[in-house]
Amino acid sequence: MLPIAIISVLSYLVGSIPTAIIVARVMRGIDIRQHGSGNAGGTNVIRVLGWKAGVFVILCDMAKGLFATMVISRLMFGALLFENTTPFDDYVVVQIIAGCAAMLGHIWTLFAGFKGGKGIATAGGMLIGIAPVEVAVSLGVFLVVFLISHYVSLGSLSAASTFPLTMFLRENLFMAHIPSYNTLIWFSVAISLLVIYTHRANIQRLLKGTENRVSRIPLLHRS
């Protein structure tokens, strides 16, 4: 049995793998943080290196959150080393801790001067293992907003806001009876606020009309 502290550290290290920086170094020999928006995330990779590299980075970043939530969390067996006063069962508590550690590792990566991406892809991977229905709805909202506006940041912000809203509506309007809803709703709000916080510079640019747009979507404009 691994202590929860080691689970957290392992998840943080996995989340800290700077996928965007590695891909940019291998493909172009550049530091992605010195190009485009300066962000070490999939969106900026799409902008600088193209959609194929960007989608690969996004999938890898999602995999980090999913791996921490679904694999690393399972390295801990038995009871927690602290009293679980939440409505979650012990394993879900470990999943949340591991997933959040991976997300923090992505945002403040140990391997790149604590300057990583904005965390939405890693958060998405974590949440797939915890609330897949809400993730699916949020992904749909992201795609609709992005395809209409061509702003990845606006799509990400819309998806982040949709996640807790979807959970709230499912429980209270559609009577889905989500297990541990009373705690999970606050967790989803916290994750949403963290994603919005990491996009604060994008929000300012959106308000000023200076945010970068993906003016051409290759999948929709094949020659």
Side-chain angles (χ1 to χ4, degrees):
M1 169 177 166
L2 294 178
I4 192 65
I6 296 180
I7 296 292
S8 301
V9 170
L10 288 175
S11 299
Y12 173 81
L13 291 175
V14 168
S16 286
I17 298 172
T19 315
I21 295 174
I22 294 172
V23 169
R25 287 287 189 191
V26 171
M27 290 186 63
R28 194 77 61 83
I30 62 173
D31 185 342
I32 192 68
R33 295 170 297 178
Q34 297 177 0
H35 299 269
S37 66
N39 179 56
T43 301
N44 198 34
V45 173
I46 291 175
R47 185 177 296 115
V48 177
L49 301 179
W51 72 270
K52 291 182 181 180
V55 169
F56 175 76
V57 168
I58 290 171
L59 291 176
C60 287
D61 288 341
M62 290 182 68
K64 294 190 297 186
L66 187 60
F67 184 81
T69 305
M70 302 302 293
V71 178
I72 296 179
S73 62
R74 293 184 181 276
L75 297 177
M76 182 173 176
F77 296 96
L80 292 175
L81 298 182
F82 54 86
E83 183 181 0
N84 179 10
T85 59
T86 76
F88 293 116
D89 61 55
D90 289 355
Y91 176 60
V92 176
V93 171
V94 177
Q95 282 187 299
I96 291 174
I97 292 173
C100 287
M103 184 178 175
L104 293 176
H106 178 78
I107 297 171
W108 294 290
T109 170
L110 176 67
F111 305 120
F114 298 99
K115 183 181 179 183
K118 291 183 170 65
I120 193 163
T122 305
M126 169 185 67
L127 295 173
I128 286 173
I130 298 174
V133 173
E134 285 73 14
V135 171
V137 174
S138 298
L139 178 60
V141 169
F142 168 84
L143 292 174
V144 170
V145 173
F146 169 63
L147 291 174
I148 292 173
S149 69
H150 288 204
Y151 288 117
V152 176
S153 58
L154 185 59
S156 299
L157 290 165
S158 300
S161 302
T162 298
F163 183 77
L165 178 61
T166 301
M167 185 174 293
F168 176 82
L169 292 177
R170 286 185 65 223
E171 174 72 19
N172 296 283
L173 183 61
F174 296 102
M175 305 302 174
H177 301 299
I178 301 169
S180 304
Y181 167 79
N182 289 332
T183 299
L184 191 56
I185 185 64
W186 294 111
F187 171 71
S188 68
V189 169
I191 290 296
S192 178
L193 290 175
L194 179 58
V195 171
I196 292 171
Y197 172 77
T198 61
H199 282 76
R200 60 194 183 279
N202 301 84
I203 294 173
Q204 293 178 357
R205 291 194 294 268
L206 285 167
L207 293 174
K208 294 177 181 178
T210 58
E211 176 71 327
N212 294 316
R213 300 179 69 190
V214 178
S215 57
R216 184 174 182 272
I217 305 174
L219 290 174
L220 301 179
H221 296 85
R222 292 181 178 179
S223 57

